Amino acid sequence: MDLLEQLGDTFLNWEEMAKVIPSLLMVGLPNTLVLAVASGILGSLLGLLLALMGISRNPAARWAARIYTDLFRGLPAILVILVIGIGLSPIAREITGSRNPYPLGILALTLIAGAYIGEIFRSGIQSVEKGQLEASRALGFSYGSSMRLVVVPQGIRRVLPALVNQFISLLKDSSLVFMLGLASSDREIFRIGNDAMANTGNLSPLVAAGILYLILTVPLTHFVNFIDNRLRTGRPEKKEPDELAAPIGKGAQA
Amino acid sequence: MTEFTSGTLTGKNLHLSFGHNHVLRGIDLHVEKGTTASVIGPSGSGKSTLLRVMNRLIEPDQGDILLDGRSVLKDNPDELRQRIGMVFQQFNLFPHKTVVENVSLALRKLRKLPKDQARAEALEQLDLVGLKHKADVRPANLSGGQMQRVAIARALAMKPEVMFFDEATSALDPELVKGVLALMTDLAKGGMTMVVVTHEMGFSRNVSDTVTFMDAGVVVESGPPEKIFSAPETDRLKGFLSDVL
């Protein structure tokens, strides 16, 4: 067998891929999405809280946010997932009554994502001009209302691209929960590809898993570019009726 | 222009320091109901800070602020600021909201008006500043002059008793200044109580009832415009006028 054929068989064996595709789509995809979306939403809420603490006038809140962020940004994701997933599993079993590692997996991913998203939100909120807060306060809004109605919405809009990037990273990191041991129906995309690879000794199922990740992440990357562009240049402006009417009128006359 | 329920505003012996920087050193300013006081002076003299102290965006270290003769320093500052409208040099419109939403936001959230009514009142205010037809565009699509007129409408919508203008025309292209000054003149003639920090000596001279000249955190001279501009007494005011006129 020549080398090319051998490589093709190792990575692009269609039969091996076809065998794994149904469970990739029916089991792996929903599980990966559950992990990424749940920890994405919870991580955003945690991040918003951390951002508001980080810019608070209360030094204790600022310090707490700082220490939290340093801690969870500074540790490898896999370490956090293992420590939380294994360390807290007796407690989780008592509360949920099941051995399903998802609640703890989501918790660990949320704690990590929150640290990153908190910094993203903080930079966005701090980039809003001081005059916005001042104008809102001058109208009679309290500090809290001003932040909620005026400053935070603008800050978040500015960091949407970074936020989507963080979600992409979360989507990939969700594969790390495989370390916690997953029942057959709980396996996510990576684990399904990995199991099939282990059983057959052929890498094609992992390649198929990789392609599925790309199908999820590449459109998101382009979506980031799209909103980034939109935020930079603004929505294409609608012409006013009289401006539009003029050329149309001329066209009709000609 | 409509009638205003304006009030009399008094600042007494106002002091403010930022660290070692003593920005206001005992300012007195009295603005009678329905009159316009302009505040002039070189950059860094404390004019803009004075406005922010008088609506308690910055709390004074010492002194008193009276609205219609009653001290407001013990009031909730948010409620005080609902009674004093403010217009800024940089407009500070909310870019994520449409023009009409900029004007109706405080009506909805602070006056608790239902959405339709808040919009109707906001449109009425926009009509007064000649921009009703721009109600549903974003501020970014307006010229500077239009933005400042929206900012004025936004402040007026809360039916304030006093209006503050902080160098409201300084960021505008020269050809746009006129429209905003005309609107401010209408307000003054309509009986609004106004404190106008300005570099527009024409406005100060022709429209205001009193002129206060500040330098280095103190009031150097104040009086009716004809006296300030035609018969200045101090060397500092004489020097300032010869620099700007």
mmCIF file of all heavy atoms in Angstrom, chain A residues 131-132 134-143 148-151 153-154 157-158 235 237 240, chain B residues 52 57 78 81-82 84 86 88 92-97 105-106 109-110 134 138 141 154 158:
data_model
loop_
_atom_site.group_PDB
_atom_site.id
_atom_site.type_symbol
_atom_site.label_atom_id
_atom_site.label_comp_id
_atom_site.label_asym_id
_atom_site.label_seq_id
_atom_site.Cartn_x
_atom_site.Cartn_y
_atom_site.Cartn_z
ATOM 1 N N GLY A 131 -19.419 61.057 29.528
ATOM 2 C CA GLY A 131 -20.551 61.963 29.312
ATOM 3 C C GLY A 131 -21.881 61.246 29.283
ATOM 4 O O GLY A 131 -22.924 61.837 29.601
ATOM 5 N N GLN A 132 -21.888 59.971 28.913
ATOM 6 C CA GLN A 132 -23.135 59.212 28.863
ATOM 7 C C GLN A 132 -23.715 59.036 30.261
ATOM 8 O O GLN A 132 -24.904 59.230 30.480
ATOM 9 C CB GLN A 132 -22.889 57.841 28.216
ATOM 10 C CG GLN A 132 -22.552 57.927 26.735
ATOM 11 C CD GLN A 132 -23.768 58.323 25.927
ATOM 12 O OE1 GLN A 132 -24.837 57.752 26.068
ATOM 13 N NE2 GLN A 132 -23.605 59.322 25.080
ATOM 14 N N GLU A 134 -22.941 60.894 32.796
ATOM 15 C CA GLU A 134 -23.236 62.233 33.305
ATOM 16 C C GLU A 134 -24.589 62.727 32.774
ATOM 17 O O GLU A 134 -25.410 63.256 33.532
ATOM 18 C CB GLU A 134 -22.118 63.189 32.875
ATOM 19 C CG GLU A 134 -22.114 64.470 33.670
ATOM 20 C CD GLU A 134 -20.912 65.343 33.352
ATOM 21 O OE1 GLU A 134 -20.590 65.496 32.156
ATOM 22 O OE2 GLU A 134 -20.319 65.876 34.294
ATOM 23 N N ALA A 135 -24.838 62.519 31.478
ATOM 24 C CA ALA A 135 -26.098 62.983 30.891
ATOM 25 C C ALA A 135 -27.276 62.257 31.523
ATOM 26 O O ALA A 135 -28.320 62.854 31.798
ATOM 27 C CB ALA A 135 -26.085 62.761 29.382
ATOM 28 N N SER A 136 -27.107 60.975 31.766
ATOM 29 C CA SER A 136 -28.175 60.191 32.353
ATOM 30 C C SER A 136 -28.435 60.614 33.799
ATOM 31 O O SER A 136 -29.583 60.784 34.218
ATOM 32 C CB SER A 136 -27.794 58.714 32.251
ATOM 33 O OG SER A 136 -28.671 57.940 32.990
ATOM 34 N N ARG A 137 -27.340 60.834 34.543
ATOM 35 C CA ARG A 137 -27.512 61.319 35.917
ATOM 36 C C ARG A 137 -28.160 62.702 35.923
ATOM 37 O O ARG A 137 -28.969 63.021 36.784
ATOM 38 C CB ARG A 137 -26.157 61.410 36.648
ATOM 39 C CG ARG A 137 -25.361 60.137 36.781
ATOM 40 C CD ARG A 137 -25.896 59.075 37.702
ATOM 41 N NE ARG A 137 -26.615 59.481 38.889
ATOM 42 C CZ ARG A 137 -26.155 59.424 40.129
ATOM 43 N NH1 ARG A 137 -24.929 59.030 40.358
ATOM 44 N NH2 ARG A 137 -26.908 59.748 41.150
ATOM 45 N N ALA A 138 -27.790 63.546 34.947
ATOM 46 C CA ALA A 138 -28.339 64.905 34.895
ATOM 47 C C ALA A 138 -29.836 64.895 34.621
ATOM 48 O O ALA A 138 -30.554 65.803 35.021
ATOM 49 C CB ALA A 138 -27.610 65.728 33.827
ATOM 50 N N LEU A 139 -30.328 63.841 33.940
ATOM 51 C CA LEU A 139 -31.771 63.735 33.704
ATOM 52 C C LEU A 139 -32.506 63.339 34.981
ATOM 53 O O LEU A 139 -33.726 63.475 35.061
ATOM 54 C CB LEU A 139 -32.053 62.686 32.628
ATOM 55 C CG LEU A 139 -31.911 63.127 31.180
ATOM 56 C CD1 LEU A 139 -31.995 61.919 30.262
ATOM 57 C CD2 LEU A 139 -33.006 64.126 30.824
ATOM 58 N N GLY A 140 -31.759 62.819 35.949
ATOM 59 C CA GLY A 140 -32.387 62.429 37.207
ATOM 60 C C GLY A 140 -32.366 60.939 37.466
ATOM 61 O O GLY A 140 -32.979 60.466 38.414
ATOM 62 N N PHE A 141 -31.660 60.182 36.608
ATOM 63 C CA PHE A 141 -31.558 58.743 36.852
ATOM 64 C C PHE A 141 -30.527 58.462 37.940
ATOM 65 O O PHE A 141 -29.501 59.149 38.020
ATOM 66 C CB PHE A 141 -31.129 58.002 35.576
ATOM 67 C CG PHE A 141 -32.228 57.886 34.562
ATOM 68 C CD1 PHE A 141 -32.211 58.648 33.402
ATOM 69 C CD2 PHE A 141 -33.285 57.007 34.757
ATOM 70 C CE1 PHE A 141 -33.225 58.546 32.466
ATOM 71 C CE2 PHE A 141 -34.295 56.899 33.830
ATOM 72 C CZ PHE A 141 -34.273 57.665 32.687
ATOM 73 N N SER A 142 -30.787 57.438 38.758
ATOM 74 C CA SER A 142 -29.814 57.026 39.765
ATOM 75 C C SER A 142 -28.612 56.372 39.075
ATOM 76 O O SER A 142 -28.670 56.075 37.879
ATOM 77 C CB SER A 142 -30.457 56.025 40.714
ATOM 78 O OG SER A 142 -30.777 54.852 39.986
ATOM 79 N N TYR A 143 -27.548 56.131 39.842
ATOM 80 C CA TYR A 143 -26.377 55.464 39.269
ATOM 81 C C TYR A 143 -26.768 54.107 38.691
ATOM 82 O O TYR A 143 -26.415 53.759 37.565
ATOM 83 C CB TYR A 143 -25.296 55.291 40.346
ATOM 84 C CG TYR A 143 -24.075 54.527 39.881
ATOM 85 C CD1 TYR A 143 -23.074 55.153 39.145
ATOM 86 C CD2 TYR A 143 -23.938 53.161 40.165
ATOM 87 C CE1 TYR A 143 -21.968 54.457 38.708
ATOM 88 C CE2 TYR A 143 -22.821 52.454 39.731
ATOM 89 C CZ TYR A 143 -21.842 53.108 39.004
ATOM 90 O OH TYR A 143 -20.757 52.398 38.567
ATOM 91 N N ARG A 148 -27.860 50.589 33.998
ATOM 92 C CA ARG A 148 -28.729 49.575 33.394
ATOM 93 C C ARG A 148 -29.313 50.060 32.062
ATOM 94 O O ARG A 148 -29.381 49.298 31.097
ATOM 95 C CB ARG A 148 -29.866 49.259 34.375
ATOM 96 C CG ARG A 148 -30.770 48.136 33.976
ATOM 97 C CD ARG A 148 -31.628 47.707 35.158
ATOM 98 N NE ARG A 148 -32.319 48.840 35.775
ATOM 99 C CZ ARG A 148 -33.472 49.356 35.334
ATOM 100 N NH1 ARG A 148 -34.065 48.832 34.289
ATOM 101 N NH2 ARG A 148 -34.040 50.378 35.944
ATOM 102 N N LEU A 149 -29.711 51.323 31.993
ATOM 103 C CA LEU A 149 -30.422 51.801 30.807
ATOM 104 C C LEU A 149 -29.489 52.380 29.752
ATOM 105 O O LEU A 149 -29.802 52.352 28.560
ATOM 106 C CB LEU A 149 -31.432 52.885 31.205
ATOM 107 C CG LEU A 149 -32.591 52.433 32.095
ATOM 108 C CD1 LEU A 149 -33.330 53.637 32.656
ATOM 109 C CD2 LEU A 149 -33.541 51.548 31.302
ATOM 110 N N VAL A 150 -28.368 52.947 30.186
ATOM 111 C CA VAL A 150 -27.558 53.727 29.251
ATOM 112 C C VAL A 150 -26.162 53.131 29.047
ATOM 113 O O VAL A 150 -25.752 52.874 27.920
ATOM 114 C CB VAL A 150 -27.448 55.198 29.742
ATOM 115 C CG1 VAL A 150 -26.488 55.990 28.872
ATOM 116 C CG2 VAL A 150 -28.828 55.850 29.737
ATOM 117 N N VAL A 151 -25.442 52.889 30.123
ATOM 118 C CA VAL A 151 -24.021 52.554 29.981
ATOM 119 C C VAL A 151 -23.813 51.083 29.600
ATOM 120 O O VAL A 151 -23.149 50.774 28.605
ATOM 121 C CB VAL A 151 -23.246 52.901 31.271
ATOM 122 C CG1 VAL A 151 -21.784 52.521 31.127
ATOM 123 C CG2 VAL A 151 -23.374 54.387 31.586
ATOM 124 N N PRO A 153 -25.857 48.703 28.288
ATOM 125 C CA PRO A 153 -26.278 48.283 26.941
ATOM 126 C C PRO A 153 -25.294 48.710 25.849
ATOM 127 O O PRO A 153 -25.020 47.956 24.924
ATOM 128 C CB PRO A 153 -27.631 48.976 26.743
ATOM 129 C CG PRO A 153 -28.140 49.264 28.104
ATOM 130 C CD PRO A 153 -26.930 49.472 28.968
ATOM 131 N N GLN A 154 -24.742 49.921 25.990
ATOM 132 C CA GLN A 154 -23.767 50.368 24.986
ATOM 133 C C GLN A 154 -22.471 49.589 25.094
ATOM 134 O O GLN A 154 -21.854 49.230 24.092
ATOM 135 C CB GLN A 154 -23.455 51.848 25.178
ATOM 136 C CG GLN A 154 -24.599 52.765 24.821
ATOM 137 C CD GLN A 154 -24.180 54.212 24.952
ATOM 138 O OE1 GLN A 154 -23.222 54.651 24.315
ATOM 139 N NE2 GLN A 154 -24.878 54.963 25.780
ATOM 140 N N ARG A 157 -22.858 46.060 23.589
ATOM 141 C CA ARG A 157 -22.878 46.101 22.131
ATOM 142 C C ARG A 157 -21.469 46.172 21.543
ATOM 143 O O ARG A 157 -21.165 45.550 20.541
ATOM 144 C CB ARG A 157 -23.624 47.353 21.678
ATOM 145 C CG ARG A 157 -24.913 47.053 20.980
ATOM 146 C CD ARG A 157 -25.712 48.312 20.902
ATOM 147 N NE ARG A 157 -26.848 48.166 21.801
ATOM 148 C CZ ARG A 157 -28.087 48.405 21.439
ATOM 149 N NH1 ARG A 157 -28.336 48.829 20.216
ATOM 150 N NH2 ARG A 157 -29.073 48.231 22.267
ATOM 151 N N ARG A 158 -20.630 46.955 22.195
ATOM 152 C CA ARG A 158 -19.277 47.147 21.654
ATOM 153 C C ARG A 158 -18.436 45.885 21.734
ATOM 154 O O ARG A 158 -17.468 45.747 21.009
ATOM 155 C CB ARG A 158 -18.546 48.247 22.427
ATOM 156 C CG ARG A 158 -19.176 49.582 22.179
ATOM 157 C CD ARG A 158 -18.429 50.660 22.885
ATOM 158 N NE ARG A 158 -19.221 51.879 22.813
ATOM 159 C CZ ARG A 158 -18.798 53.060 23.194
ATOM 160 N NH1 ARG A 158 -17.589 53.180 23.686
ATOM 161 N NH2 ARG A 158 -19.575 54.103 23.098
ATOM 162 N N ARG A 235 -25.613 50.483 10.618
ATOM 163 C CA ARG A 235 -26.568 49.864 9.707
ATOM 164 C C ARG A 235 -26.624 50.681 8.426
ATOM 165 O O ARG A 235 -26.518 51.900 8.472
ATOM 166 C CB ARG A 235 -27.927 49.878 10.401
ATOM 167 C CG ARG A 235 -28.900 48.892 9.858
ATOM 168 C CD ARG A 235 -30.050 48.780 10.833
ATOM 169 N NE ARG A 235 -29.570 48.396 12.169
ATOM 170 C CZ ARG A 235 -30.357 48.080 13.165
ATOM 171 N NH1 ARG A 235 -31.659 48.100 12.998
ATOM 172 N NH2 ARG A 235 -29.875 47.746 14.327
ATOM 173 N N GLU A 237 -27.835 53.037 5.985
ATOM 174 C CA GLU A 237 -28.843 54.029 6.320
ATOM 175 C C GLU A 237 -29.971 54.044 5.316
ATOM 176 O O GLU A 237 -29.756 53.969 4.112
ATOM 177 C CB GLU A 237 -28.186 55.411 6.372
ATOM 178 C CG GLU A 237 -28.962 56.374 7.212
ATOM 179 C CD GLU A 237 -28.471 57.796 7.017
ATOM 180 O OE1 GLU A 237 -27.279 57.975 6.695
ATOM 181 O OE2 GLU A 237 -29.281 58.715 7.176
ATOM 182 N N GLU A 240 -34.199 59.030 3.168
ATOM 183 C CA GLU A 240 -35.488 59.635 3.479
ATOM 184 C C GLU A 240 -36.375 59.599 2.246
ATOM 185 O O GLU A 240 -35.882 59.655 1.126
ATOM 186 C CB GLU A 240 -35.276 61.081 3.924
ATOM 187 C CG GLU A 240 -34.671 61.145 5.306
ATOM 188 C CD GLU A 240 -34.724 62.547 5.885
ATOM 189 O OE1 GLU A 240 -35.359 63.422 5.266
ATOM 190 O OE2 GLU A 240 -34.132 62.756 6.946
ATOM 191 N N ARG B 52 -22.082 71.807 37.582
ATOM 192 C CA ARG B 52 -22.200 70.438 38.105
ATOM 193 C C ARG B 52 -22.374 70.411 39.616
ATOM 194 O O ARG B 52 -22.939 69.464 40.153
ATOM 195 C CB ARG B 52 -20.975 69.626 37.681
ATOM 196 C CG ARG B 52 -21.058 69.195 36.222
ATOM 197 C CD ARG B 52 -19.721 68.766 35.662
ATOM 198 N NE ARG B 52 -19.863 68.293 34.286
ATOM 199 C CZ ARG B 52 -20.033 69.098 33.243
ATOM 200 N NH1 ARG B 52 -20.101 70.419 33.404
ATOM 201 N NH2 ARG B 52 -20.158 68.593 32.035
ATOM 202 N N LEU B 57 -24.287 67.088 40.551
ATOM 203 C CA LEU B 57 -23.548 65.993 39.903
ATOM 204 C C LEU B 57 -22.249 65.806 40.674
ATOM 205 O O LEU B 57 -21.688 64.724 40.737
ATOM 206 C CB LEU B 57 -23.246 66.322 38.438
ATOM 207 C CG LEU B 57 -24.361 66.045 37.428
ATOM 208 C CD1 LEU B 57 -23.971 66.572 36.054
ATOM 209 C CD2 LEU B 57 -24.682 64.565 37.354
ATOM 210 N N ASP B 78 -31.089 62.873 42.924
ATOM 211 C CA ASP B 78 -31.716 62.450 41.670
ATOM 212 C C ASP B 78 -33.000 63.245 41.426
ATOM 213 O O ASP B 78 -33.309 63.615 40.293
ATOM 214 C CB ASP B 78 -32.030 60.949 41.695
ATOM 215 C CG ASP B 78 -30.768 60.104 41.808
ATOM 216 O OD1 ASP B 78 -29.705 60.581 41.371
ATOM 217 O OD2 ASP B 78 -30.840 58.987 42.346
ATOM 218 N N ARG B 81 -32.127 66.774 40.316
ATOM 219 C CA ARG B 81 -31.705 66.857 38.915
ATOM 220 C C ARG B 81 -32.858 66.711 37.938
ATOM 221 O O ARG B 81 -32.768 67.139 36.794
ATOM 222 C CB ARG B 81 -30.598 65.833 38.643
ATOM 223 C CG ARG B 81 -29.271 66.263 39.269
ATOM 224 C CD ARG B 81 -28.123 65.411 38.791
ATOM 225 N NE ARG B 81 -28.192 64.094 39.366
ATOM 226 C CZ ARG B 81 -27.528 63.716 40.467
ATOM 227 N NH1 ARG B 81 -26.732 64.565 41.083
ATOM 228 N NH2 ARG B 81 -27.654 62.501 40.928
ATOM 229 N N GLN B 82 -33.963 66.100 38.389
ATOM 230 C CA GLN B 82 -35.142 66.075 37.522
ATOM 231 C C GLN B 82 -35.729 67.471 37.373
ATOM 232 O O GLN B 82 -36.460 67.743 36.425
ATOM 233 C CB GLN B 82 -36.203 65.133 38.106
ATOM 234 C CG GLN B 82 -35.773 63.676 38.063
ATOM 235 C CD GLN B 82 -36.839 62.740 38.602
ATOM 236 O OE1 GLN B 82 -38.024 63.010 38.504
ATOM 237 N NE2 GLN B 82 -36.411 61.627 39.174
ATOM 238 N N ILE B 84 -33.809 70.224 37.239
ATOM 239 C CA ILE B 84 -32.834 71.087 36.566
ATOM 240 C C ILE B 84 -32.359 70.381 35.294
ATOM 241 O O ILE B 84 -31.691 69.361 35.359
ATOM 242 C CB ILE B 84 -31.625 71.382 37.477
ATOM 243 C CG1 ILE B 84 -32.083 72.054 38.781
ATOM 244 C CG2 ILE B 84 -30.614 72.250 36.739
ATOM 245 C CD1 ILE B 84 -30.960 72.370 39.743
ATOM 246 N N MET B 86 -30.121 69.837 31.880
ATOM 247 C CA MET B 86 -28.746 70.219 31.563
ATOM 248 C C MET B 86 -28.412 69.831 30.123
ATOM 249 O O MET B 86 -28.754 68.748 29.660
ATOM 250 C CB MET B 86 -27.770 69.540 32.528
ATOM 251 C CG MET B 86 -26.333 70.001 32.329
ATOM 252 S SD MET B 86 -25.349 69.705 33.813
ATOM 253 C CE MET B 86 -23.776 70.394 33.300
ATOM 254 N N PHE B 88 -25.135 69.677 27.357
ATOM 255 C CA PHE B 88 -23.681 69.559 27.430
ATOM 256 C C PHE B 88 -23.006 70.004 26.135
ATOM 257 O O PHE B 88 -23.606 69.976 25.061
ATOM 258 C CB PHE B 88 -23.291 68.100 27.687
ATOM 259 C CG PHE B 88 -23.834 67.547 28.971
ATOM 260 C CD1 PHE B 88 -25.095 66.980 29.015
ATOM 261 C CD2 PHE B 88 -23.098 67.600 30.137
ATOM 262 C CE1 PHE B 88 -25.605 66.476 30.196
ATOM 263 C CE2 PHE B 88 -23.595 67.103 31.323
ATOM 264 C CZ PHE B 88 -24.855 66.538 31.349
ATOM 265 N N ASN B 92 -23.954 64.469 24.274
ATOM 266 C CA ASN B 92 -24.178 63.280 25.099
ATOM 267 C C ASN B 92 -25.540 62.647 24.879
ATOM 268 O O ASN B 92 -26.197 62.202 25.815
ATOM 269 C CB ASN B 92 -24.007 63.603 26.595
ATOM 270 C CG ASN B 92 -22.591 64.004 26.930
ATOM 271 O OD1 ASN B 92 -21.683 63.770 26.136
ATOM 272 N ND2 ASN B 92 -22.385 64.598 28.075
ATOM 273 N N LEU B 93 -25.986 62.600 23.617
ATOM 274 C CA LEU B 93 -27.196 61.826 23.314
ATOM 275 C C LEU B 93 -26.865 60.354 23.474
ATOM 276 O O LEU B 93 -25.700 59.953 23.377
ATOM 277 C CB LEU B 93 -27.669 62.114 21.889
ATOM 278 C CG LEU B 93 -28.172 63.534 21.647
ATOM 279 C CD1 LEU B 93 -28.595 63.700 20.194
ATOM 280 C CD2 LEU B 93 -29.334 63.880 22.567
ATOM 281 N N PHE B 94 -27.892 59.548 23.712
ATOM 282 C CA PHE B 94 -27.668 58.115 23.872
ATOM 283 C C PHE B 94 -27.667 57.469 22.478
ATOM 284 O O PHE B 94 -28.708 57.389 21.835
ATOM 285 C CB PHE B 94 -28.755 57.499 24.756
ATOM 286 C CG PHE B 94 -28.902 58.202 26.079
ATOM 287 C CD1 PHE B 94 -30.148 58.499 26.590
ATOM 288 C CD2 PHE B 94 -27.782 58.575 26.807
ATOM 289 C CE1 PHE B 94 -30.286 59.149 27.814
ATOM 290 C CE2 PHE B 94 -27.903 59.230 28.033
ATOM 291 C CZ PHE B 94 -29.156 59.522 28.529
ATOM 292 N N PRO B 95 -26.505 57.013 21.998
ATOM 293 C CA PRO B 95 -26.403 56.588 20.593
ATOM 294 C C PRO B 95 -27.164 55.293 20.302
ATOM 295 O O PRO B 95 -27.464 55.021 19.143
ATOM 296 C CB PRO B 95 -24.892 56.389 20.386
ATOM 297 C CG PRO B 95 -24.349 56.154 21.747
ATOM 298 C CD PRO B 95 -25.222 56.932 22.708
ATOM 299 N N HIS B 96 -27.478 54.499 21.347
ATOM 300 C CA HIS B 96 -28.153 53.232 21.098
ATOM 301 C C HIS B 96 -29.667 53.405 21.071
ATOM 302 O O HIS B 96 -30.388 52.429 20.894
ATOM 303 C CB HIS B 96 -27.745 52.197 22.148
ATOM 304 C CG HIS B 96 -28.101 52.579 23.558
ATOM 305 N ND1 HIS B 96 -27.701 53.771 24.127
ATOM 306 C CD2 HIS B 96 -28.819 51.950 24.508
ATOM 307 C CE1 HIS B 96 -28.162 53.850 25.372
ATOM 308 N NE2 HIS B 96 -28.845 52.752 25.625
ATOM 309 N N LYS B 97 -30.125 54.636 21.227
ATOM 310 C CA LYS B 97 -31.565 54.883 21.199
ATOM 311 C C LYS B 97 -31.886 55.869 20.078
ATOM 312 O O LYS B 97 -31.038 56.682 19.703
ATOM 313 C CB LYS B 97 -32.026 55.465 22.537
ATOM 314 C CG LYS B 97 -31.651 54.573 23.719
ATOM 315 C CD LYS B 97 -32.701 54.606 24.785
ATOM 316 C CE LYS B 97 -32.484 53.568 25.847
ATOM 317 N NZ LYS B 97 -33.129 52.295 25.566
ATOM 318 N N LEU B 105 -37.128 58.639 27.188
ATOM 319 C CA LEU B 105 -36.615 57.687 28.190
ATOM 320 C C LEU B 105 -36.939 58.100 29.629
ATOM 321 O O LEU B 105 -37.489 57.321 30.405
ATOM 322 C CB LEU B 105 -35.096 57.515 28.016
ATOM 323 C CG LEU B 105 -34.457 56.464 28.929
ATOM 324 C CD1 LEU B 105 -34.891 55.068 28.516
ATOM 325 C CD2 LEU B 105 -32.926 56.551 28.913
ATOM 326 N N ALA B 106 -36.614 59.344 29.960
ATOM 327 C CA ALA B 106 -36.852 59.798 31.338
ATOM 328 C C ALA B 106 -38.350 59.914 31.631
ATOM 329 O O ALA B 106 -38.787 59.671 32.760
ATOM 330 C CB ALA B 106 -36.156 61.138 31.578
ATOM 331 N N LYS B 109 -39.340 56.204 32.310
ATOM 332 C CA LYS B 109 -38.751 55.518 33.463
ATOM 333 C C LYS B 109 -38.831 56.335 34.747
ATOM 334 O O LYS B 109 -38.849 55.763 35.825
ATOM 335 C CB LYS B 109 -37.281 55.180 33.180
ATOM 336 C CG LYS B 109 -37.077 54.347 31.934
ATOM 337 C CD LYS B 109 -37.518 52.919 32.165
ATOM 338 C CE LYS B 109 -37.346 52.093 30.893
ATOM 339 N NZ LYS B 109 -37.738 50.700 31.086
ATOM 340 N N LEU B 110 -38.823 57.658 34.640
ATOM 341 C CA LEU B 110 -38.852 58.474 35.858
ATOM 342 C C LEU B 110 -40.239 59.039 36.118
ATOM 343 O O LEU B 110 -40.732 58.991 37.223
ATOM 344 C CB LEU B 110 -37.824 59.602 35.755
ATOM 345 C CG LEU B 110 -36.360 59.154 35.737
ATOM 346 C CD1 LEU B 110 -35.437 60.329 35.474
ATOM 347 C CD2 LEU B 110 -35.976 58.468 37.043
ATOM 348 N N LYS B 134 -37.301 63.856 12.491
ATOM 349 C CA LYS B 134 -36.137 62.985 12.712
ATOM 350 C C LYS B 134 -36.370 62.007 13.865
ATOM 351 O O LYS B 134 -35.431 61.366 14.341
ATOM 352 C CB LYS B 134 -34.899 63.843 13.036
ATOM 353 C CG LYS B 134 -34.432 64.720 11.884
ATOM 354 C CD LYS B 134 -33.709 63.902 10.832
ATOM 355 C CE LYS B 134 -33.081 64.794 9.779
ATOM 356 N NZ LYS B 134 -32.505 64.018 8.683
ATOM 357 N N ARG B 138 -31.379 57.415 14.356
ATOM 358 C CA ARG B 138 -30.394 57.404 15.444
ATOM 359 C C ARG B 138 -29.644 58.729 15.444
ATOM 360 O O ARG B 138 -29.442 59.336 14.380
ATOM 361 C CB ARG B 138 -29.366 56.272 15.218
ATOM 362 C CG ARG B 138 -29.969 54.888 15.235
ATOM 363 C CD ARG B 138 -30.159 54.415 16.641
ATOM 364 N NE ARG B 138 -31.049 53.262 16.662
ATOM 365 C CZ ARG B 138 -30.768 52.119 17.248
ATOM 366 N NH1 ARG B 138 -29.618 51.967 17.865
ATOM 367 N NH2 ARG B 138 -31.628 51.133 17.246
ATOM 368 N N ASN B 141 -27.068 59.937 12.830
ATOM 369 C CA ASN B 141 -27.444 60.432 11.507
ATOM 370 C C ASN B 141 -27.821 61.911 11.511
ATOM 371 O O ASN B 141 -28.326 62.416 10.509
ATOM 372 C CB ASN B 141 -28.618 59.612 10.963
ATOM 373 C CG ASN B 141 -28.236 58.155 10.776
ATOM 374 O OD1 ASN B 141 -27.103 57.854 10.404
ATOM 375 N ND2 ASN B 141 -29.150 57.258 11.073
ATOM 376 N N ARG B 154 -34.612 66.889 25.013
ATOM 377 C CA ARG B 154 -34.547 65.838 26.025
ATOM 378 C C ARG B 154 -34.606 66.443 27.430
ATOM 379 O O ARG B 154 -35.290 65.940 28.314
ATOM 380 C CB ARG B 154 -33.249 65.037 25.844
ATOM 381 C CG ARG B 154 -33.048 63.944 26.872
ATOM 382 C CD ARG B 154 -31.846 63.079 26.559
ATOM 383 N NE ARG B 154 -30.583 63.788 26.776
ATOM 384 C CZ ARG B 154 -29.390 63.237 26.643
ATOM 385 N NH1 ARG B 154 -29.282 61.965 26.266
ATOM 386 N NH2 ARG B 154 -28.293 63.934 26.841
ATOM 387 N N MET B 158 -38.592 66.950 30.618
ATOM 388 C CA MET B 158 -38.851 66.699 32.038
ATOM 389 C C MET B 158 -39.480 67.919 32.716
ATOM 390 O O MET B 158 -39.619 67.938 33.936
ATOM 391 C CB MET B 158 -37.553 66.297 32.744
ATOM 392 C CG MET B 158 -37.056 64.907 32.376
ATOM 393 S SD MET B 158 -38.204 63.622 32.877
ATOM 394 C CE MET B 158 -37.832 63.491 34.629
#
